[in-house]
Amino acid sequence: MNSLRILGLLLDYPGELLWDHQNDLLEAIDESEELTTEQRLDLALYVADFCQQELLDAQSAYTGLFDRGRATSLLLFEHVHGESRDRGQAMVDLLDQYRAAGLEIDSRELPDYLPLYLEYLSTLSRAEACSGLNDIAPILALLSARLQERNSHYAELFDLLLALSGANIATQTVRDSIKQEARDDTPAALDAVWEEEQIKFLGEQSCASGDEAAHQKRFAGAVAPQYLNLDDTPAGEPRK
C-alpha cells in the first residue's frame, strides 16, 4: 500500500525533501489505487496546503505537537505500555517483525515510531497492512481526537489511516471521552514532569519529609500519561 509510505512521510519530521519533491508526492498519491477518488483528492489538497508553509514554521509546529508531552507522541507503545518493562519486550518483538520482512532500522528511531511502522506496513500485502493498521486503530483514534482538540490538520492523516484500517472506531466518541483530559504540553505540565524526574533521580537525599509532602501537594494535578488497554478494544487480527 503505497499510501502508507506517503502518510509515513507526512507524519515524519518535515524536511526539505518533502518540499523539493512535492510534485512527485502528488503523482504518487494519484497512483495509490487503495485510496478512493475523494481520499486521493483530500490528501493531495493536504500536501499542497502543507507545503505552502515555510519549512521552519512546519518544523516548529511539528515539534510543538509531537515532541512536547506524551499525549500526542508518535511512539506507539508510549500509549500502551508507558515506561513499563513490557514496552521493552514489545520493541524486541516488533524488531523481529521488521527483520522477518527484510527491513533493518538505524539507531535514530525507536521501532514503535509511527512513520517507521507505516513504512513497514507498506511492504506487506494489502490485507496484512490493513490488519496491522487495525491493530493500532485505538491509538490512531486517540491521537486524532487529541489533535482535533489542538485544532491541528495532522488529525486528517490519522482519520485517513483509520479509514484504511477498516476499524469501527468513531473518533468523535473518543474525542468526547477526553474532553476533561488535562493538557500535558503546557509549560506548567512540562515543568512538573521535569521536576518530578529530578526528585526521582535525587531520591530520598533531596528533601526531608516535610518537603516531600509539599512536593506531593504541588504536583497532585500534574498530567499522568494516558495508556490504552487494547484488549478492551475490538480489533481484527491478533496484535503484532
Side-chain angles (χ1 to χ4, degrees):
M1 294 177 68
N2 193 46
S3 59
L4 297 186
R5 188 182 297 271
I6 295 169
L7 290 167
L9 177 62
L10 293 173
L11 285 170
D12 203 354
Y13 183 75
E16 292 183 4
L17 187 66
L18 181 58
W19 269 252
D20 293 343
H21 295 277
Q22 179 183 346
N23 290 335
D24 295 333
L25 189 59
L26 293 173
E27 183 178 339
I29 292 172
D30 189 55
E31 295 174 352
S32 297
E33 297 180 355
E34 66 272 16
L35 300 178
T36 66
T37 300
E38 182 178 1
Q39 288 171 337
R40 288 196 294 270
L41 177 59
D42 288 345
L43 189 55
L45 290 173
Y46 178 94
V47 170
D49 183 64
F50 186 84
C51 291
Q52 285 182 359
Q53 304 175 83
E54 293 293 335
L55 177 58
L56 290 178
D57 290 339
Q59 291 173 336
S60 177
Y62 184 94
T63 300
L65 276 173
F66 299 119
D67 295 340
R68 297 182 63 186
R70 294 176 172 179
T72 54
S73 172
L74 294 182
L75 298 175
L76 296 171
F77 296 148
E78 180 72 61
H79 304 283
V80 182
H81 303 299
E83 299 301 325
S84 72
R85 293 182 179 180
D86 291 340
R87 184 176 183 180
Q89 185 57 54
M91 293 279 198
V92 172
D93 294 342
L94 188 54
L95 276 173
D96 287 342
Q97 289 186 58
Y98 290 166
R99 289 170 181 148
L103 299 177
E104 291 289 342
I105 66 172
D106 58 32
S107 59
R108 291 180 298 174
E109 298 294 352
L110 293 172
D112 62 335
Y113 181 53
L114 179 57
L116 183 61
Y117 183 66
L118 293 176
E119 183 175 351
Y120 157 68
L121 292 182
S122 73
T123 67
L124 307 179
S125 69
R126 182 169 181 174
E128 291 172 324
C130 289
S131 175
L133 285 177
N134 195 283
D135 291 340
I136 62 169
I139 302 174
L140 298 175
L142 181 65
L143 288 171
S144 175
R146 285 173 172 166
L147 290 168
Q148 288 177 39
E149 288 295 303
R150 288 159 171 75
N151 297 315
S152 171
H153 289 294
Y154 273 106
E156 298 173 27
L157 303 182
F158 288 90
D159 287 343
L160 179 53
L161 287 170
L162 272 175
L164 291 172
S165 76
N168 186 25
I169 301 177
T171 305
Q172 186 57 49
T173 301
V174 179
R175 190 175 179 183
D176 291 340
S177 72
I178 64 169
K179 284 292 185 182
Q180 304 304 316
E181 185 179 75
R183 292 277 292 263
D184 71 346
D185 60 342
T186 63
L190 293 170
D191 286 346
V193 172
W194 183 84
E195 294 197 38
E196 180 69 31
E197 290 302 317
Q198 294 301 304
I199 293 293
K200 290 179 181 178
F201 176 75
L202 294 173
E204 295 181 356
Q205 305 176 38
S206 63
C207 53
S209 58
D211 292 332
E212 179 65 22
H215 166 78
Q216 293 293 342
K217 181 177 180 181
R218 179 180 179 186
F219 295 110
V223 178
Q226 301 296 309
Y227 303 135
L228 295 174
N229 182 354
L230 297 186
D231 292 329
D232 292 338
T233 306
E237 300 295 326
R239 294 195 306 278
K240 299 293 189 291

